[in-house]
Amino acid sequence: MRDALDEYDRALEHMPARIVIHKSSYFRDSERAGFLRALDEKGIRSKDFVAITDTDIRLFGDSDYPPKRGTMLTISETEGVLYTRGTVDFYKTYPGMYVPNPLKITAYEQDSSLESLFDEILGLTKMNWNNTQMDGRLPITLECARKIGDIMKYVDPTEKPQVSYSFYM
């Protein structure tokens, strides 16, 4: 985290006002403590640590189609279910081939409301411009990380990886 923040500061000559970490698995206590320590050292007070995972919870729509894209179910103040794929009013149908699976959203450190985190995640599912689909199941933060991970497995351990995102496009 410190290295990433240092790189951000070098590139933009200031620290971010807020940090959001999306993770495809749950946060361990030791991870959270390390992230919080690094953020505190850099003076960043606004943060959201969010786990985005699969769930067995399914909702039913009020028609023959699946629930609408953006449907949210709040389970608690820190946990909920979000449909990032689903029926789209503009099309008056569900544009997918298979029944959509919602995402379970769990906030571990939370300075934003769960609803605003849902809204951000939903917006980030529309940012994969290398795709003809109008939305994706996962936010671009996780999609991009997975693709970079696929590339990084071929980088020799002695090589210093490229920092610029354009290198991985």
Side-chain angles (χ1 to χ4, degrees), residues 1-69:
M1 175 65 76
R2 273 189 215 100
D3 291 347
L5 289 171
D6 287 341
E7 191 64 40
Y8 184 98
D9 189 31
R10 260 191 298 282
L12 299 176
E13 298 179 355
H14 65 83
M15 283 292 165
R18 175 177 172 238
I19 292 287
V20 180
I21 300 174
H22 288 167
K23 195 168 181 249
S24 60
S25 60
Y26 298 109
F27 284 84
R28 294 186 311 271
D29 289 339
S30 59
E31 283 178 311
R32 287 173 41 206
F35 289 145
L36 289 170
R37 191 170 40 254
L39 294 177
D40 188 50
E41 287 173 13
K42 300 296 183 180
I44 299 169
R45 292 188 302 271
S46 184
K47 75 243 169 255
D48 293 294
F49 300 170
V50 182
I52 302 171
T53 57
D54 291 328
T55 182
D56 292 330
I57 296 173
R58 298 291 183 272
L59 303 175
F60 291 95
D62 56 1
S63 67
D64 292 336
Y65 296 108
K68 290 182 182 180
R69 172 178 149 73

Side-chain angles (χ1 to χ4, degrees), residues 58 64 71 78 92 116 128 149:
R58 298 291 183 272
D64 292 336
T71 298
T78 61
K92 296 183 175 86
S116 67
N128 186 354

Side-chain angles (χ1 to χ4, degrees), residues 6 15 56 83 95 105 114-115 127 147 164:
D6 287 341
M15 283 292 165
D56 292 330
Y83 273 84
I105 311 297
L114 195 59
E115 187 174 278
M127 293 193 66
K147 288 180 180 170
S164 173

Side-chain angles (χ1 to χ4, degrees), residues 152 154-162 167:
M152 292 299 293
Y154 297 107
V155 175
D156 190 87
T158 59
E159 272 186 82
K160 183 176 186 234
Q162 295 290 326
F167 182 79

